Amino acid sequence: MTYSQHTRCIVGLNAGRNPKFDSTVNMWVFEEVVNGRKLTEIINTEHENVKYLPGHKLPENVVAVADLVEAVGGADVLLFVIPHQFISRVCGTMQGKIKGNALGMSLIKGVDEGPDGLKLISEVIREKLGISMSVLMGANIANEVAAEKFCETTIGCKEKAHGALLKELMQTDHFRVTVVEEADVVEICGALKNIVAVGAGFCDGLGFGDNTKAAVIRLGLMEMIAFARLFCSAGPVSAATFLESCGVADLITTCYGGRNRRVAEAFAKTGRSLEELETEMLCGQKLQGPATAAEVHVILKNKNLQDKFPLFTAVYEICFEGRPVTDFISFLQNHPAHL
């Protein structure tokens, strides 16, 4: 198994105590030098990722591996947690180097705009690697999960047997897992909520209160549902999936505590560029909301649907076209009551 970020503690713990899984968990780590030492060396001797998740110990059966091919070779389960901009390159390196019957699960928040419109990240992985894919999305802020504070998450999986196995791998007393079949909707929720969180950050930076942020969350949820119903090809989209952790819970959490909200707030307050703030505030992590807004904008523009999604459009225009952030509220005031 190979994976990253806050799932490392959970997977390591469950793999170590469940004989169904190999007790050794390989974690691919992009090699960096931290305080004069290789990051993999620090993780494997001190059992802590001091750069990306400091203060939280990793199980000793989690092994950091700098070579991607070495990390994935022989794995039966592959968990993908990287910025979505890098997924094509990573999958290209993995092609022909993994088991053909491996199960994949993506925790990546984002979408891709292909020549035919929307392409989900799990679909990109499936096409490049030829493996069965599921997704995991939810209100799961990394340091809280690592600190074993109770939360929920959602696995989207079309195969019941695969969903049951992945739930067994992921669920703990403090990390409750629900499995649903609408995997496409689960994944779309995980991507689009970051756009809404950027809007929530704009509101905070402009000094608006909780009433305004509540409006942003509600209108953003409406656009998420409308987008899913337009672009999900797997079948009807039920409202019930949006009530799972991957939907409204993740949206609320991200709009109050996520990195997209924090950086967007600083952007509105300071007028500095998103790139500069990302470098300064995120310690090497990537900002997903603006990038996803740009990809969604291309999809909507190709369908001439920008006017149907004013919040998504506003975030894009403010981030990339120089629209003043103070215009954000006017987009909300002119938002249709129903989509």
Side-chain angles (χ1 to χ4, degrees):
M1 290 170 281
T2 181
Y3 70 111
S4 185
Q5 298 306 324
H6 63 269
T7 53
R8 66 192 73 180
C9 299
I10 292 170
V11 174
L13 180 66
N14 284 343
R17 65 188 179 187
N18 188 334
K20 186 177 291 186
F21 304 108
D22 190 313
S23 61
T24 299
V25 179
N26 286 342
M27 175 175 67
W28 176 55
V29 173
F30 183 79
E31 191 69 278
E32 301 176 66
V33 175
V34 179
N35 297 326
R37 298 172 63 193
K38 292 181 178 180
L39 183 57
T40 52
E41 177 193 342
I42 296 172
I43 293 172
N44 290 334
T45 56
E46 300 177 14
H47 308 292
E48 179 182 350
N49 190 329
V50 295
K51 181 166 184 179
Y52 295 109
L53 201 62
H56 298 283
K57 289 295 183 180
L58 299 171
E60 293 188 9
N61 59 321
V62 174
V63 178
V65 180
D67 184 276
L68 175 59
V69 172
E70 179 185 346
V72 301
D76 297 301
V77 180
L78 297 161
L79 304 192
F80 296 84
V81 195
I82 59 174
H84 75 276
Q85 299 95 319
F86 304 137
I87 193 61
S88 293
R89 186 191 318 164
V90 167
C91 286
T93 302
M94 293 170 61
Q95 280 180 320
K97 307 295 194 304
I98 63 172
K99 288 185 175 181
N101 63 347
L103 301 182
M105 185 162 68
S106 172
L107 285 72
I108 299 171
K109 311 296 201 312
V111 294
D112 191 21
E113 24 92 14
D116 300 319
L118 175 72
K119 181 167 283 191
L120 300 173
I121 299 303
S122 63
E123 186 180 356
V124 173
I125 298 170
R126 186 184 301 112
E127 288 180 358
K128 288 188 173 292
L129 299 181
I131 60 175
S132 175
M133 286 297 302
S134 301
V135 297
L136 184 149
M137 307 283 162
N140 312 138
I141 293 177
N143 60 347
E144 294 184 14
V145 176
E148 299 189 354
K149 296 179 180 179
F150 177 79
C151 63
E152 298 178 308
T153 199
T154 309
I155 289 177
C157 182
K158 295 180 174 66
E159 299 286 338
K160 289 187 177 180
H162 294 172
L165 180 67
L166 292 169
K167 179 175 181 176
E168 194 170 350
L169 177 64
M170 298 304 304
Q171 181 157 275
T172 68
D173 291 340
H174 66 275
F175 193 72
R176 185 165 65 190
V177 177
T178 300
V179 181
V180 302
E181 292 186 10
E182 286 187 334
D184 291 356
V185 178
V186 172
E187 187 167 3
I188 283 177
C189 283
L192 298 184
K193 55 96 178 183
N194 284 327
I195 304 177
V196 185
V198 172
F202 291 161
C203 288
D204 290 340
L206 293 169
F208 293 98
D210 286 338
N211 290 341
T212 307
K213 187 183 284 191
V216 170
I217 293 171
R218 187 188 77 84
L219 296 171
L221 180 61
M222 288 172 59
E223 292 193 15
M224 289 167 60
I225 295 171
F227 189 95
R229 287 179 171 165
L230 279 171
F231 293 100
C232 275
S233 58
V237 172
S238 68
T241 302
F242 290 90
L243 298 178
E244 297 290 348
S245 181
C246 63
V248 66
D250 195 11
L251 178 62
I252 292 170
T253 299
T254 307
C255 285
Y256 276 90
R259 73 186 74 152
N260 290 279
R261 187 216 64 80
R262 288 191 292 111
V263 174
E265 178 184 17
F267 173 83
K269 282 182 174 179
T270 67
R272 295 164 63 192
S273 73
L274 290 170
E275 293 79 6
E276 184 181 1
L277 292 168
E278 178 186 66
T279 300
E280 180 181 301
M281 298 176 65
L282 299 186
C283 300
Q285 294 180 318
K286 292 296 181 182
L287 195 62
Q288 297 297 308
T292 303
E295 287 151 352
V296 165
H297 177 76
V298 173
I299 295 165
L300 295 176
K301 186 176 181 180
N302 288 341
K303 301 286 186 180
N304 197 28
L305 291 172
Q306 304 101 299
D307 291 344
K308 299 288 186 181
F309 296 86
L311 193 151
F312 291 172
T313 300
V315 170
Y316 167 77
E317 291 186 359
I318 291 167
C319 290
F320 296 102
E321 294 191 349
R323 189 81 181 251
V325 69
T326 50
D327 285 357
F328 182 66
I329 297 303
S330 67
F331 281 87
L332 303 185
Q333 291 169 335
N334 296 319
H335 203 289
H338 301 285
L339 290 170

